mmCIF file of all heavy atoms in Angstrom:
data_model
loop_
_atom_site.group_PDB
_atom_site.id
_atom_site.type_symbol
_atom_site.label_atom_id
_atom_site.label_comp_id
_atom_site.label_asym_id
_atom_site.label_seq_id
_atom_site.Cartn_x
_atom_site.Cartn_y
_atom_site.Cartn_z
ATOM 1 N N TYR B 25 26.121 6.808 -18.118
ATOM 2 C CA TYR B 25 26.360 6.104 -16.785
ATOM 3 C C TYR B 25 27.428 6.863 -16.003
ATOM 4 O O TYR B 25 28.110 7.755 -16.575
ATOM 5 C CB TYR B 25 26.857 4.697 -16.980
ATOM 6 C CG TYR B 25 28.098 4.601 -17.802
ATOM 7 C CD1 TYR B 25 29.253 4.388 -17.253
ATOM 8 C CD2 TYR B 25 27.848 4.585 -19.299
ATOM 9 C CE1 TYR B 25 30.476 4.389 -18.025
ATOM 10 C CE2 TYR B 25 29.008 4.502 -20.030
ATOM 11 C CZ TYR B 25 30.370 4.396 -19.408
ATOM 12 O OH TYR B 25 31.448 4.406 -20.281
ATOM 13 N N ASP B 26 27.422 6.592 -14.694
ATOM 14 C CA ASP B 26 28.375 7.291 -13.854
ATOM 15 C C ASP B 26 29.110 6.360 -13.080
ATOM 16 O O ASP B 26 28.545 5.383 -12.410
ATOM 17 C CB ASP B 26 27.660 8.269 -12.904
ATOM 18 C CG ASP B 26 28.649 9.162 -12.200
ATOM 19 O OD1 ASP B 26 29.740 9.353 -12.595
ATOM 20 O OD2 ASP B 26 28.261 9.586 -11.087
ATOM 21 N N THR B 27 30.476 6.337 -13.058
ATOM 22 C CA THR B 27 31.228 5.427 -12.344
ATOM 23 C C THR B 27 32.728 5.949 -12.294
ATOM 24 O O THR B 27 33.093 6.674 -13.096
ATOM 25 C CB THR B 27 31.396 3.970 -13.065
ATOM 26 O OG1 THR B 27 32.045 3.084 -12.298
ATOM 27 C CG2 THR B 27 31.993 4.149 -14.462
ATOM 28 N N SER B 28 33.325 5.588 -11.193
ATOM 29 C CA SER B 28 34.736 5.930 -11.031
ATOM 30 C C SER B 28 35.681 4.709 -11.406
ATOM 31 O O SER B 28 36.870 4.864 -11.343
ATOM 32 C CB SER B 28 34.973 6.299 -9.560
ATOM 33 O OG SER B 28 34.583 5.340 -8.684
ATOM 34 N N GLU B 29 35.062 3.578 -11.737
ATOM 35 C CA GLU B 29 35.864 2.467 -12.130
ATOM 36 C C GLU B 29 36.336 2.553 -13.589
ATOM 37 O O GLU B 29 35.806 3.325 -14.370
ATOM 38 C CB GLU B 29 34.874 1.207 -11.984
ATOM 39 C CG GLU B 29 34.336 0.980 -10.614
ATOM 40 C CD GLU B 29 35.366 0.626 -9.591
ATOM 41 O OE1 GLU B 29 36.308 -0.039 -10.041
ATOM 42 O OE2 GLU B 29 35.166 0.802 -8.447
ATOM 43 N N SER B 30 37.320 1.827 -14.001
ATOM 44 C CA SER B 30 37.885 1.836 -15.130
ATOM 45 C C SER B 30 37.694 0.506 -15.975
ATOM 46 O O SER B 30 37.682 0.629 -17.328
ATOM 47 C CB SER B 30 39.499 2.070 -15.164
ATOM 48 O OG SER B 30 40.046 0.985 -14.374
ATOM 49 N N ASP B 31 37.333 -0.537 -15.302
ATOM 50 C CA ASP B 31 37.087 -1.807 -15.872
ATOM 51 C C ASP B 31 35.705 -2.260 -15.595
ATOM 52 O O ASP B 31 35.293 -2.396 -14.534
ATOM 53 C CB ASP B 31 38.015 -2.861 -15.488
ATOM 54 C CG ASP B 31 39.500 -2.598 -15.864
ATOM 55 O OD1 ASP B 31 39.643 -2.045 -16.940
ATOM 56 O OD2 ASP B 31 40.381 -3.078 -15.238
ATOM 57 N N TYR B 32 34.915 -2.214 -16.677
ATOM 58 C CA TYR B 32 33.519 -2.616 -16.524
ATOM 59 C C TYR B 32 32.936 -3.062 -17.797
ATOM 60 O O TYR B 32 33.600 -3.011 -18.809
ATOM 61 C CB TYR B 32 32.736 -1.432 -16.028
ATOM 62 C CG TYR B 32 32.857 -0.172 -16.785
ATOM 63 C CD1 TYR B 32 32.228 0.281 -17.837
ATOM 64 C CD2 TYR B 32 33.858 0.816 -16.366
ATOM 65 C CE1 TYR B 32 32.314 1.412 -18.533
ATOM 66 C CE2 TYR B 32 34.005 2.053 -16.994
ATOM 67 C CZ TYR B 32 33.220 2.315 -18.249
ATOM 68 O OH TYR B 32 33.489 3.421 -18.851
ATOM 69 N N TYR B 33 31.748 -3.538 -17.692
ATOM 70 C CA TYR B 33 30.949 -3.943 -18.944
ATOM 71 C C TYR B 33 29.697 -3.199 -18.996
ATOM 72 O O TYR B 33 29.098 -2.855 -18.015
ATOM 73 C CB TYR B 33 30.741 -5.608 -18.840
ATOM 74 C CG TYR B 33 31.945 -6.399 -18.980
ATOM 75 C CD1 TYR B 33 32.910 -6.457 -17.912
ATOM 76 C CD2 TYR B 33 32.134 -7.114 -20.140
ATOM 77 C CE1 TYR B 33 33.961 -7.242 -18.059
ATOM 78 C CE2 TYR B 33 33.261 -7.791 -20.373
ATOM 79 C CZ TYR B 33 34.246 -7.955 -19.228
ATOM 80 O OH TYR B 33 35.342 -8.767 -19.417
ATOM 81 N N LEU B 34 29.279 -3.073 -20.208
ATOM 82 C CA LEU B 34 27.952 -2.424 -20.450
ATOM 83 C C LEU B 34 27.062 -3.357 -21.369
ATOM 84 O O LEU B 34 27.596 -4.107 -22.235
ATOM 85 C CB LEU B 34 28.177 -1.117 -21.215
ATOM 86 C CG LEU B 34 28.875 0.031 -20.347
ATOM 87 C CD1 LEU B 34 29.485 1.001 -21.270
ATOM 88 C CD2 LEU B 34 27.993 0.481 -19.288
ATOM 89 N N PHE B 35 25.796 -3.375 -21.120
ATOM 90 C CA PHE B 35 24.880 -4.209 -21.943
ATOM 91 C C PHE B 35 23.678 -3.459 -22.331
ATOM 92 O O PHE B 35 23.300 -2.443 -21.683
ATOM 93 C CB PHE B 35 24.342 -5.380 -21.027
ATOM 94 C CG PHE B 35 25.561 -6.220 -20.323
ATOM 95 C CD1 PHE B 35 25.856 -5.944 -19.075
ATOM 96 C CD2 PHE B 35 26.080 -7.299 -21.042
ATOM 97 C CE1 PHE B 35 26.891 -6.649 -18.513
ATOM 98 C CE2 PHE B 35 27.130 -8.119 -20.427
ATOM 99 C CZ PHE B 35 27.484 -7.838 -19.183
ATOM 100 N N TRP B 36 23.082 -3.917 -23.411
ATOM 101 C CA TRP B 36 21.727 -3.505 -23.712
ATOM 102 C C TRP B 36 20.952 -4.764 -23.681
ATOM 103 O O TRP B 36 21.191 -5.811 -24.397
ATOM 104 C CB TRP B 36 21.639 -2.810 -25.120
ATOM 105 C CG TRP B 36 22.010 -1.424 -25.145
ATOM 106 C CD1 TRP B 36 23.170 -0.825 -25.487
ATOM 107 C CD2 TRP B 36 21.082 -0.356 -24.841
ATOM 108 N NE1 TRP B 36 23.134 0.485 -25.349
ATOM 109 C CE2 TRP B 36 21.866 0.912 -24.982
ATOM 110 C CE3 TRP B 36 19.860 -0.297 -24.367
ATOM 111 C CZ2 TRP B 36 21.303 2.171 -24.679
ATOM 112 C CZ3 TRP B 36 19.272 1.026 -24.138
ATOM 113 C CH2 TRP B 36 20.020 2.129 -24.323
ATOM 114 N N TYR B 37 19.779 -4.638 -22.953
ATOM 115 C CA TYR B 37 18.791 -5.720 -22.877
ATOM 116 C C TYR B 37 17.499 -5.367 -23.513
ATOM 117 O O TYR B 37 17.176 -4.189 -23.510
ATOM 118 C CB TYR B 37 18.638 -6.153 -21.457
ATOM 119 C CG TYR B 37 19.522 -7.169 -20.807
ATOM 120 C CD1 TYR B 37 20.666 -6.535 -20.123
ATOM 121 C CD2 TYR B 37 19.491 -8.481 -20.806
ATOM 122 C CE1 TYR B 37 21.625 -7.316 -19.549
ATOM 123 C CE2 TYR B 37 20.405 -9.226 -20.292
ATOM 124 C CZ TYR B 37 21.460 -8.733 -19.568
ATOM 125 O OH TYR B 37 22.461 -9.483 -18.981
ATOM 126 N N LYS B 38 16.859 -6.375 -24.097
ATOM 127 C CA LYS B 38 15.568 -6.079 -24.748
ATOM 128 C C LYS B 38 14.531 -6.845 -23.997
ATOM 129 O O LYS B 38 14.667 -8.019 -23.740
ATOM 130 C CB LYS B 38 15.534 -6.432 -26.196
ATOM 131 C CG LYS B 38 14.236 -6.522 -26.968
ATOM 132 C CD LYS B 38 14.461 -7.038 -28.373
ATOM 133 C CE LYS B 38 13.228 -7.176 -29.079
ATOM 134 N NZ LYS B 38 13.367 -7.817 -30.443
ATOM 135 N N GLN B 39 13.415 -6.177 -23.710
ATOM 136 C CA GLN B 39 12.287 -6.910 -23.157
ATOM 137 C C GLN B 39 11.072 -6.694 -23.842
ATOM 138 O O GLN B 39 10.391 -5.647 -23.758
ATOM 139 C CB GLN B 39 12.026 -6.404 -21.565
ATOM 140 C CG GLN B 39 11.162 -7.222 -20.706
ATOM 141 C CD GLN B 39 11.000 -6.715 -19.397
ATOM 142 O OE1 GLN B 39 11.066 -5.471 -19.098
ATOM 143 N NE2 GLN B 39 10.753 -7.628 -18.382
ATOM 144 N N PRO B 40 10.715 -7.718 -24.800
ATOM 145 C CA PRO B 40 9.422 -7.511 -25.504
ATOM 146 C C PRO B 40 8.158 -7.694 -24.703
ATOM 147 O O PRO B 40 8.333 -7.962 -23.481
ATOM 148 C CB PRO B 40 9.477 -8.796 -26.439
ATOM 149 C CG PRO B 40 10.914 -9.209 -26.351
ATOM 150 C CD PRO B 40 11.478 -8.865 -24.956
ATOM 151 N N PRO B 41 7.062 -7.352 -25.237
ATOM 152 C CA PRO B 41 5.826 -7.425 -24.459
ATOM 153 C C PRO B 41 5.627 -8.714 -23.788
ATOM 154 O O PRO B 41 4.914 -8.854 -22.795
ATOM 155 C CB PRO B 41 4.727 -7.152 -25.460
ATOM 156 C CG PRO B 41 5.524 -6.242 -26.548
ATOM 157 C CD PRO B 41 6.810 -6.748 -26.502
ATOM 158 N N SER B 42 6.099 -9.898 -24.214
ATOM 159 C CA SER B 42 6.007 -11.145 -23.619
ATOM 160 C C SER B 42 6.775 -11.257 -22.307
ATOM 161 O O SER B 42 6.757 -12.202 -21.694
ATOM 162 C CB SER B 42 6.509 -12.327 -24.560
ATOM 163 O OG SER B 42 7.869 -12.189 -24.900
ATOM 164 N N ARG B 43 7.669 -10.274 -22.058
ATOM 165 C CA ARG B 43 8.320 -10.021 -20.860
ATOM 166 C C ARG B 43 9.748 -10.796 -20.619
ATOM 167 O O ARG B 43 10.360 -10.680 -19.692
ATOM 168 C CB ARG B 43 7.513 -10.324 -19.666
ATOM 169 C CG ARG B 43 6.333 -9.424 -19.435
ATOM 170 C CD ARG B 43 6.827 -8.097 -19.022
ATOM 171 N NE ARG B 43 5.759 -7.328 -18.637
ATOM 172 C CZ ARG B 43 5.828 -6.042 -18.262
ATOM 173 N NH1 ARG B 43 7.145 -5.554 -18.102
ATOM 174 N NH2 ARG B 43 4.820 -5.303 -17.995
ATOM 175 N N GLN B 44 10.122 -11.635 -21.565
ATOM 176 C CA GLN B 44 11.402 -12.407 -21.489
ATOM 177 C C GLN B 44 12.488 -11.430 -21.876
ATOM 178 O O GLN B 44 12.528 -10.979 -23.001
ATOM 179 C CB GLN B 44 11.485 -13.615 -22.382
ATOM 180 C CG GLN B 44 12.586 -14.430 -22.228
ATOM 181 C CD GLN B 44 12.286 -15.788 -21.349
ATOM 182 O OE1 GLN B 44 11.226 -16.320 -21.474
ATOM 183 N NE2 GLN B 44 13.307 -16.183 -20.614
ATOM 184 N N MET B 45 13.319 -11.117 -20.928
ATOM 185 C CA MET B 45 14.422 -10.229 -21.088
ATOM 186 C C MET B 45 15.524 -10.952 -21.825
ATOM 187 O O MET B 45 16.027 -11.951 -21.360
ATOM 188 C CB MET B 45 14.932 -9.678 -19.720
ATOM 189 C CG MET B 45 16.020 -8.621 -19.870
ATOM 190 S SD MET B 45 15.399 -7.009 -19.643
ATOM 191 C CE MET B 45 14.909 -7.049 -17.873
ATOM 192 N N ILE B 46 16.039 -10.392 -22.927
ATOM 193 C CA ILE B 46 17.139 -10.985 -23.631
ATOM 194 C C ILE B 46 18.234 -10.022 -23.959
ATOM 195 O O ILE B 46 18.056 -8.805 -24.049
ATOM 196 C CB ILE B 46 16.724 -11.587 -25.011
ATOM 197 C CG1 ILE B 46 16.004 -10.492 -25.829
ATOM 198 C CG2 ILE B 46 15.721 -12.804 -24.810
ATOM 199 C CD1 ILE B 46 15.790 -11.003 -27.211
ATOM 200 N N LEU B 47 19.474 -10.581 -24.035
ATOM 201 C CA LEU B 47 20.674 -9.736 -24.118
ATOM 202 C C LEU B 47 20.722 -9.322 -25.695
ATOM 203 O O LEU B 47 20.569 -10.158 -26.536
ATOM 204 C CB LEU B 47 21.927 -10.408 -23.784
ATOM 205 C CG LEU B 47 23.194 -9.634 -23.953
ATOM 206 C CD1 LEU B 47 23.345 -8.441 -23.020
ATOM 207 C CD2 LEU B 47 24.397 -10.573 -23.786
ATOM 208 N N VAL B 48 20.937 -8.055 -25.885
ATOM 209 C CA VAL B 48 21.052 -7.576 -27.239
ATOM 210 C C VAL B 48 22.540 -7.449 -27.679
ATOM 211 O O VAL B 48 22.944 -7.956 -28.759
ATOM 212 C CB VAL B 48 20.323 -6.191 -27.406
ATOM 213 C CG1 VAL B 48 20.531 -5.640 -28.897
ATOM 214 C CG2 VAL B 48 18.920 -6.286 -27.160
ATOM 215 N N ILE B 49 23.303 -6.805 -26.765
ATOM 216 C CA ILE B 49 24.696 -6.530 -27.195
ATOM 217 C C ILE B 49 25.437 -6.238 -25.883
ATOM 218 O O ILE B 49 24.928 -5.767 -24.959
ATOM 219 C CB ILE B 49 24.666 -5.348 -28.286
ATOM 220 C CG1 ILE B 49 26.078 -5.334 -28.814
ATOM 221 C CG2 ILE B 49 24.406 -4.041 -27.523
ATOM 222 C CD1 ILE B 49 26.025 -4.445 -30.246
ATOM 223 N N ARG B 50 26.714 -6.435 -25.966
ATOM 224 C CA ARG B 50 27.598 -6.157 -24.813
ATOM 225 C C ARG B 50 28.883 -5.530 -25.206
ATOM 226 O O ARG B 50 29.450 -5.705 -26.419
ATOM 227 C CB ARG B 50 27.917 -7.576 -24.218
ATOM 228 C CG ARG B 50 29.239 -7.796 -23.547
ATOM 229 C CD ARG B 50 29.464 -9.232 -23.340
ATOM 230 N NE ARG B 50 30.812 -9.509 -22.879
ATOM 231 C CZ ARG B 50 31.168 -10.413 -21.962
ATOM 232 N NH1 ARG B 50 30.215 -11.102 -21.399
ATOM 233 N NH2 ARG B 50 32.377 -10.592 -21.665
ATOM 234 N N GLN B 51 29.363 -4.677 -24.346
ATOM 235 C CA GLN B 51 30.629 -3.918 -24.643
ATOM 236 C C GLN B 51 31.549 -3.943 -23.448
ATOM 237 O O GLN B 51 31.131 -3.616 -22.391
ATOM 238 C CB GLN B 51 30.245 -2.462 -25.009
ATOM 239 C CG GLN B 51 31.459 -1.584 -25.146
ATOM 240 C CD GLN B 51 32.057 -1.605 -26.553
ATOM 241 O OE1 GLN B 51 31.462 -1.675 -27.592
ATOM 242 N NE2 GLN B 51 33.391 -1.632 -26.528
ATOM 243 N N GLU B 52 32.825 -4.422 -23.691
ATOM 244 C CA GLU B 52 33.797 -4.270 -22.691
ATOM 245 C C GLU B 52 34.427 -2.839 -22.623
ATOM 246 O O GLU B 52 34.872 -2.456 -23.698
ATOM 247 C CB GLU B 52 34.906 -5.386 -22.876
ATOM 248 C CG GLU B 52 34.361 -6.776 -22.647
ATOM 249 C CD GLU B 52 33.886 -7.471 -23.932
ATOM 250 O OE1 GLU B 52 33.486 -6.647 -24.848
ATOM 251 O OE2 GLU B 52 33.861 -8.722 -24.047
ATOM 252 N N ALA B 53 34.609 -2.310 -21.493
ATOM 253 C CA ALA B 53 35.080 -0.985 -21.443
ATOM 254 C C ALA B 53 36.549 -0.841 -21.957
ATOM 255 O O ALA B 53 36.914 0.254 -22.431
ATOM 256 C CB ALA B 53 35.035 -0.412 -20.040
ATOM 257 N N TYR B 54 37.294 -1.858 -21.750
ATOM 258 C CA TYR B 54 38.733 -1.756 -22.297
ATOM 259 C C TYR B 54 38.774 -1.846 -23.908
ATOM 260 O O TYR B 54 39.839 -1.559 -24.383
ATOM 261 C CB TYR B 54 39.453 -2.921 -21.673
ATOM 262 C CG TYR B 54 39.138 -4.288 -22.127
ATOM 263 C CD1 TYR B 54 39.781 -4.917 -23.240
ATOM 264 C CD2 TYR B 54 38.271 -5.088 -21.299
ATOM 265 C CE1 TYR B 54 39.312 -6.179 -23.498
ATOM 266 C CE2 TYR B 54 37.934 -6.386 -21.558
ATOM 267 C CZ TYR B 54 38.534 -7.005 -22.827
ATOM 268 O OH TYR B 54 38.217 -8.262 -23.176
ATOM 269 N N LYS B 55 37.731 -2.220 -24.484
ATOM 270 C CA LYS B 55 37.833 -2.254 -25.947
ATOM 271 C C LYS B 55 37.443 -0.910 -26.556
ATOM 272 O O LYS B 55 36.393 -0.352 -26.196
ATOM 273 C CB LYS B 55 36.883 -3.372 -26.549
ATOM 274 C CG LYS B 55 37.420 -4.833 -26.214
ATOM 275 C CD LYS B 55 36.491 -5.836 -26.876
ATOM 276 C CE LYS B 55 36.986 -7.252 -26.626
ATOM 277 N NZ LYS B 55 36.158 -8.222 -27.330
ATOM 278 N N GLN B 56 38.188 -0.375 -27.469
ATOM 279 C CA GLN B 56 37.884 0.809 -28.155
ATOM 280 C C GLN B 56 36.897 0.591 -29.174
ATOM 281 O O GLN B 56 36.116 1.496 -29.462
ATOM 282 C CB GLN B 56 39.122 1.529 -28.639
ATOM 283 C CG GLN B 56 40.078 1.914 -27.548
ATOM 284 C CD GLN B 56 41.293 2.688 -28.097
ATOM 285 O OE1 GLN B 56 41.591 2.683 -29.245
ATOM 286 N NE2 GLN B 56 41.918 3.414 -27.207
ATOM 287 N N GLN B 57 36.929 -0.444 -29.796
ATOM 288 C CA GLN B 57 36.081 -0.850 -30.954
ATOM 289 C C GLN B 57 34.641 -0.965 -30.412
ATOM 290 O O GLN B 57 34.322 -1.705 -29.541
ATOM 291 C CB GLN B 57 36.539 -2.086 -31.639
ATOM 292 C CG GLN B 57 35.710 -2.339 -32.943
ATOM 293 C CD GLN B 57 36.342 -3.518 -33.819
ATOM 294 O OE1 GLN B 57 37.262 -4.147 -33.276
ATOM 295 N NE2 GLN B 57 35.908 -3.687 -34.986
ATOM 296 N N ASN B 58 33.695 -0.406 -31.102
ATOM 297 C CA ASN B 58 32.269 -0.462 -30.790
ATOM 298 C C ASN B 58 31.696 -1.897 -31.075
ATOM 299 O O ASN B 58 32.061 -2.320 -32.313
ATOM 300 C CB ASN B 58 31.446 0.606 -31.518
ATOM 301 C CG ASN B 58 31.682 2.047 -30.923
ATOM 302 O OD1 ASN B 58 31.969 2.116 -29.807
ATOM 303 N ND2 ASN B 58 31.725 2.972 -31.833
#
Side-chain angles (χ1 to χ4, degrees):
Chain B
Y25 58 95
D26 187 25
T27 183
S28 58
E29 303 290 336
S30 58
D31 291 331
Y32 50 86
Y33 290 75
L34 296 163
F35 306 94
W36 277 99
Y37 280 90
K38 169 186 177 182
Q39 189 178 36
S42 65
R43 294 290 187 179
Q44 188 102 31
M45 186 101 69
I46 57 174
L47 179 69
V48 174
I49 199 164
R50 146 192 170 141
Q51 174 80 43
E52 293 90 336
Y54 65 85
K55 288 188 177 179
Q56 293 186 342
Q57 186 173 7
N58 289 326

